[in-house]
């Protein structure tokens, strides 16, 4: 069931809800049909989603685009948390630098995490 929830939300349960245009019914169908491969299908072969009633090839591509955007945000947040930032600081860094957040942190990492505590961002 967790895969359905992740597929449906595309994000952690806290913070802004990021939709991937799949919905709970079609998310359940995708998980039932593709099992553990569901995220691989969403990323690498979205056209396979067209076998699910109500998903056209165009909608499948839109689902892939939104899934990739959500996955990118999750990857950046995860990496920022891994290098020592708390949830709130990681979110602020990602919001400030977007897709460049990981690069900026890597390049300016001397003195971390002490430089990033409090309201530095």
């Amino acid at each position: 069931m967790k895969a359905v929830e992740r597929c449906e939300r595309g994000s952690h349960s806290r913070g802004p809800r990021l939709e991937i245009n799949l919905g709970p019914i079609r998310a359940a169908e995708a998980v039932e049909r593709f099992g553990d491969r569901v995220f691989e299908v969403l990323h690498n072969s979205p056209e396979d989603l067209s076998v699910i009633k109500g998903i056209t090839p165009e909608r499948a591509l839109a689902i892939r685009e939104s899934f990739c955007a959500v996955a990118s945000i999750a990857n950046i947040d995860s990496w920022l948390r891994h290098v020592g930032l708390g949830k709130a600081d990681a979110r602020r860094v990602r919001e400030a630098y977007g897709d460049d957040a990981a690069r900026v942190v890597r390049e300016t990492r001397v003195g971390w995490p002490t430089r990033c505590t409090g309201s530095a961002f």
Side-chain angles (χ1 to χ4, degrees):
M1 197 61 167
K2 286 187 180 208
V4 172
E5 292 170 6
R6 285 174 39 198
C7 209
E8 182 182 314
R9 279 197 315 268
S11 179
H12 301 290
S13 59
R14 293 183 161 213
R17 186 174 166 139
L18 300 170
E19 298 292 338
I20 62 167
N21 301 319
L22 200 50
I25 293 171
R26 289 188 182 94
E29 289 180 38
V31 170
E32 184 177 319
R33 180 176 289 275
F34 301 110
D36 292 341
R37 293 186 36 242
V38 69
F39 296 113
E40 178 186 328
V41 169
L42 284 167
H43 189 267
N44 297 323
S45 52
E47 63 279 357
D48 291 353
L49 295 172
S50 297
V51 298
I52 297 171
K53 184 178 178 178
I55 298 180
T56 63
E58 294 79 20
R59 184 166 182 198
L61 291 176
I63 290 168
R64 179 190 185 273
E65 286 178 28
S66 59
F67 172 75
C68 288
V70 168
S72 175
I73 290 169
N75 287 338
I76 291 169
D77 280 355
S78 176
W79 188 84
L80 291 171
R81 301 277 317 276
H82 176 75
V83 298
L85 291 179
K87 261 186 180 177
D89 284 337
R91 180 182 45 80
R92 286 193 290 270
V93 169
R94 182 184 40 80
E95 288 173 353
Y97 299 106
D99 290 342
D100 283 340
R103 181 189 58 77
V104 169
V105 170
R106 266 190 232 105
E107 291 175 359
T108 61
R109 200 166 156 193
V110 177
W112 282 68
T114 56
R115 274 182 35 192
C116 295
T117 58
S119 59
F121 297 97

